[in-house]
Amino acid sequence: AQSVTQPDIHITVSEGASLELRCNYSYGATPYLFWYVQSPGQGLQLLLKYFSGDTLVQGIKGFEAEFKRSQSSFNLRKPSVHWSDAAEYFCAVGAAGGTSYGKLTFGQGTILTVHP
Amino acid sequence: EAQVTQNPRYLITVTGKKLTVTCSQNMNHEYMSWYRQDPGLGLRQIYYSMNVEVTDKGDVPEGYKVSRKEKRNFPLILESPSPNQTSLYFCASSPLRYQETQYFGPGTRLLVL
C-alpha cells in the first residue's frame, strides 16, 4: 500500500529565509509525486509534480522539489519565502501502474507560518 | 468557465438520513475523485473514477457510494450518515491521465448530528 509522511506539522520561517518541507513516501516502484498548496478557506492548487526523468522539478511560485529514490523522499524547497507563501502544503503519491492506478494518497500536511 | 462545481456547499443533517453531494465538471475530464479533509489528517481519497462506469476505492471508502453514469457527473452518496462523516469534502477532476493537474471543486462542509 502506498503512503506519505510529512514529518513536520507546523513550520515557522522569517520572510526572505529559505524553506524546505519534508515528504517521505512508501511505494513499491517509482511513483508519481505531487506537492499541493492550500490557502485558508481555499481549494488545493498544484505546485509541481514528478513522473519521471530529471529528479529536480520546478514548479510555480518559485518552488522546486527533488526526488531522491534512495531516501524515498520528495522535499519541497524555496530559496526565499514571501509572506504570501503562508499556507498549508500537502505532499501526495500516486500509483504509477497496477491495480491501484488512479489512487492518490496525501500526507497529513505542513502548515507554514511566515514572520515579517 | 472551466470549473468543478459541488452542491450543496454546506449541509447539516442527522444520523441515518441519506444524502447526496453532487459534483459536476465541464471540462470533459476522464478522471474524477472524491476526498475528505479532516484537521491533522490531510486529504484522504474516498473513491475515484478513471472513466464512465469505472469506479475504484480510495483509502477511506467505508460508508460512501459513488456512481459515474455520465462523464461530467460524479455524485457522492452517504446512505446512512454518521457523525464520523462530518468533514470537508472535495471533488476533483483531471484530463485523460489522472496524474495531470487536478482541478478541485470549492468543497462541501458536512455536519452530521
Side-chain angles (χ1 to χ4, degrees), chain A residues 19-88:
Chain A
L19 172 69
E20 182 169 34
L21 302 182
R22 296 184 291 163
C23 171
N24 294 100
Y25 70 89
S26 174
Y27 184 70
T30 300
Y32 297 140
L33 293 163
F34 308 82
W35 274 101
Y36 282 86
V37 61
Q38 185 180 35
S39 299
Q42 303 295 314
L44 276 78
Q45 181 182 23
L46 180 68
L47 285 175
L48 47 77
K49 56 191 176 185
Y50 172 80
F51 298 153
S52 64
D54 193 348
T55 57
L56 184 64
V57 294
Q58 303 296 322
I60 62 172
K61 304 185 180 186
F63 285 92
E64 67 176 28
E66 186 172 12
F67 170 56
K68 293 187 177 181
R69 184 192 308 274
S70 61
Q71 298 177 21
S72 297
S73 69
F74 188 57
N75 294 348
L76 182 71
R77 301 193 294 249
K78 186 170 185 177
S80 178
V81 171
H82 188 263
W83 64 267
S84 61
D85 293 324
E88 189 163 15

Side-chain angles (χ1 to χ4, degrees), chain B residues 15-61:
Chain B
T15 299
K17 186 176 182 181
K18 181 180 179 179
L19 66 91
T20 299
V21 183
T22 64
C23 173
S24 182
Q25 50 93 4
N26 61 1
M27 297 169 281
N28 201 37
H29 285 172
E30 300 284 344
Y31 181 87
M32 297 187 74
S33 182
W34 275 103
Y35 304 91
R36 61 177 289 175
Q37 183 175 21
D38 303 287
L41 297 178
L43 274 83
R44 293 179 291 169
Q45 190 177 45
I46 303 170
Y47 273 94
Y48 61 96
S49 170
M50 300 288 278
N51 210 330
V52 175
E53 302 291 1
V54 179
T55 62
D56 286 289
K57 296 177 180 178
D59 288 320
V60 288

Side-chain angles (χ1 to χ4, degrees), chain A residues 2 6 8 11 13 21 38 40 42 66 81 94-97 99 109-110:
Chain A
Q2 61 202 57
Q6 294 180 243
D8 304 305
I11 283 183
V13 299
L21 302 182
Q38 185 180 35
Q42 303 295 314
E66 186 172 12
V81 171
T99 56
T110 298

